[in-house]
Amino acid sequence: MSRESLLLDIKDLNIFFKNKGHKKDTHAIRGLDLSLKEGEILGIVGESGCGKSLTNLCIMGLLPDQSYATWEQFNWRGNQYSEFKEKTWRGLRGSEIGMIFQNPMSSLNPTLSLEYQFEEIFKLHRKDLSKSQRKAEAISLLERVGITQAEKRLKSYPFELSGGMAQRVMIATVMATSPRLLIADEPTTALDVTIQNQVLDLIKDLSQENKMSVIFVTHDLAVVSHMADRINVMYAGEIVESASCSTLIQNPSHPYAHALLNSLPTEEAIIHKAQLKSIPGQVPSFNQRPEGCSFAPRCPYQKEDCKSSEFEQMVKHKKTRCLYPLNSLQSKAGALHE
Ligand SMILES: Nc1ncnc2c1ncn2[C@@H]1O[C@H](COP(=O)(O)OP(=O)(O)OP(=O)(O)O)[C@@H](O)[C@H]1O
Ligand SMILES: [Mg+2]
């Protein structure tokens, strides 16, 4: 992959939580590498609490209080950032990076009409536009995200919108800033399936039309497999496997990726009302990781050295964070027929 085509290139990102007193800081995100080409859709999947949102908040420069990050490299559009300067990142996240959330009301102001909200955005980001151009642009953005009678809708307030509509409007307000990167953190979890698919298609189309990269976060592998080019699988603050979407779905190599795939309902299971396969156990919290591989206690393939203190050293240069990655035949058989 040529360096030039990369929009974002992060190497060895670590995020810590400070603890009160003299207790050691909690090492939350460990050694995360993440790169993203222009126009690429990257999916991040993993169970609740594994650090997906934390990673994205860091990319947005919005780390929670009491946490801090270190990295070997943080390259955005060819520029190296050695530290987050609040002012630099405020500029970036307002214009070059946009974020959408599960709850659109968290970014739409309930007390202001849509027209007013677009006005505020354009005044900041599109100073070149006249008042009438700003209105025309707002209408065009609403139409682009599938809002009918857009001119009339501009007079609406967010509470007058249905869930799916509010989600679309939020996307339109983010698109108003023409972001290079859209971070979508579980944006469709609260929507019903039909609306969810429409919003996913919309994000995919917008990415293609605008050559906008997308980081799409979800705990649902089925959702992300419809739209992502590449998928990072996260477990307990680490990326355990990063692969193209088709490779991950057909030949998952890390046992956790394999287990996530197996927990998706198959057509046959639905017909026979079979019980869904869940992954036994829970993701360990960041300060209670076991020694060795964090997934080992839940892993059906674990061996003695997975739990050894040498694990880090042994796994260091492996593509998948596993001493015994599944070979393609094994994982294919598992993914499709287990
Ligand atoms: N001060 C702290 N010290 C240690 N851990 C913390 C602290 N604050 C938050 N955490 C942990 O960080 C994790 C946050 O992870 P994050 O929100 O990124 O998960 P996620 O993968 O986005 O999960 P979800 O799918 O539920 O949104 C939580 O498990 C939380 O317990
Ligand atoms: Mg989250």
Side-chain angles (χ1 to χ4, degrees):
M1 206 185 292
S2 85
R3 291 275 154 244
E4 286 83 328
S5 65
L6 289 177
L7 180 76
L8 179 63
D9 194 12
I10 300 174
K11 294 248 179 316
D12 198 16
L13 174 71
N14 293 278
I15 302 179
F16 299 86
F17 286 109
K18 287 182 199 149
N19 283 313
K20 283 205 179 94
H22 297 292
K23 272 173 75 183
K24 234 176 109 191
D25 295 348
T26 300
H27 199 166
I29 303 296
R30 296 204 297 193
L32 181 138
D33 293 342
L34 186 151
S35 63
L36 193 60
K37 284 190 277 187
E38 290 199 5
E40 185 178 32
I41 302 185
L42 173 71
I44 301 186
V45 290
E47 285 162 291
S48 192
C50 69
K52 307 181 294 293
S53 296
L54 198 54
T55 304
N56 284 322
L57 288 173
C58 177
I59 294 173
M60 289 289 287
L62 290 172
L63 272 177
D65 287 348
Q66 303 305 315
S67 63
Y68 64 97
T70 65
W71 55 85
E72 186 192 316
Q73 174 181 298
F74 199 109
N75 191 313
W76 171 259
R77 298 182 66 196
N79 295 314
Q80 291 284 358
Y81 288 85
S82 54
E83 57 180 314
F84 283 123
K85 290 217 169 67
E86 185 59 23
K87 216 171 141 199
T88 321
W89 281 95
R90 214 180 302 142
L92 271 186
R93 73 173 180 249
S95 56
E96 298 190 314
I97 308 179
M99 192 156 183
I100 56 173
F101 305 92
Q102 184 175 333
N103 178 7
M105 296 310 169
S106 59
S107 55
L108 295 173
N109 187 329
T111 63
L112 302 173
S113 71
L114 301 187
E115 183 164 15
Y116 193 92
Q117 303 201 37
F118 275 109
E119 271 287 303
E120 293 292 292
I121 295 167
F122 288 141
K123 272 191 208 154
L124 267 179
H125 297 284
R126 297 293 304 275
K127 295 192 174 86
D128 55 313
L129 299 180
S130 67
K131 191 163 170 42
S132 60
Q133 284 171 324
R134 292 200 293 266
K135 184 165 179 184
E137 183 68 13
I139 293 172
S140 142
L141 279 161
L142 285 181
E143 282 171 349
R144 177 60 200 88
V145 299
I147 303 284
T148 52
Q149 297 188 292
E151 185 164 6
K152 213 170 127 204
R153 271 290 164 207
L154 274 180
K155 305 279 174 231
S156 303
Y157 288 79
F159 66 83
E160 296 175 274
L161 308 172
S162 68
M165 226 191 256
Q167 197 62 265
R168 286 164 188 275
V169 170
M170 175 172 62
I171 294 173
T173 57
V174 173
M175 293 310 290
T177 65
S178 310
R180 298 261 175 174
L181 167 63
L182 177 71
I183 297 180
D185 196 337
E186 308 250 16
T188 59
T189 313
L191 303 175
D192 66 61
V193 177
T194 322
I195 310 285
Q196 168 171 311
N197 289 343
Q198 289 170 4
V199 173
L200 296 179
D201 285 344
L202 172 64
I203 294 174
K204 199 171 171 177
D205 290 348
L206 290 170
S207 159
Q208 274 166 4
E209 281 166 27
N210 301 293
K211 226 172 176 272
M212 174 181 74
S213 310
V214 178
I215 296 181
F216 193 95
V217 172
T218 176
H219 56 266
D220 188 338
L221 201 45
V223 164
V224 82
S225 65
H226 285 302
M227 56 187 311
D229 301 304
R230 213 151 40 82
I231 298 181
N232 283 354
V233 180
M234 271 189 97
Y235 188 79
E238 290 161 340
I239 292 179
V240 294
E241 181 167 2
S242 176
S244 74
C245 192
S246 55
T247 302
L248 195 93
I249 301 297
Q250 286 164 26
N251 292 316
S253 149
H254 194 283
Y256 179 59
H258 183 231
L260 276 182
L261 266 176
N262 262 336
S263 61
L264 295 179
T266 59
E267 213 173 307
E268 214 186 327
I270 294 169
I271 292 168
H272 294 108
K273 297 200 171 26
Q275 215 177 357
L276 290 180
K277 286 197 172 86
S278 59
I279 308 172
Q282 281 180 338
V283 185
S285 63
F286 296 137
N287 44 19
Q288 288 180 329
R289 289 188 186 94
E291 184 149 50
C293 169
S294 298
F295 186 60
R298 305 172 76 187
C299 180
Y301 307 101
Q302 52 120 339
K303 297 192 191 340
E304 216 32 59
D305 46 359
C306 299
K307 297 177 186 165
S308 104
S309 55
E310 312 287 300
F311 174 81
E312 275 314 314
Q313 212 43 44
M314 291 192 278
V315 88
K316 204 165 187 178
H317 298 292
K318 286 182 176 275
K319 195 165 167 281
T320 300
R321 240 187 102 74
C322 179
L323 294 180
Y324 303 99
L326 304 166
N327 66 40
S328 58
L329 274 179
Q330 193 183 0
S331 62
K332 197 175 240 168
L336 299 177
H337 305 302
E338 239 174 49

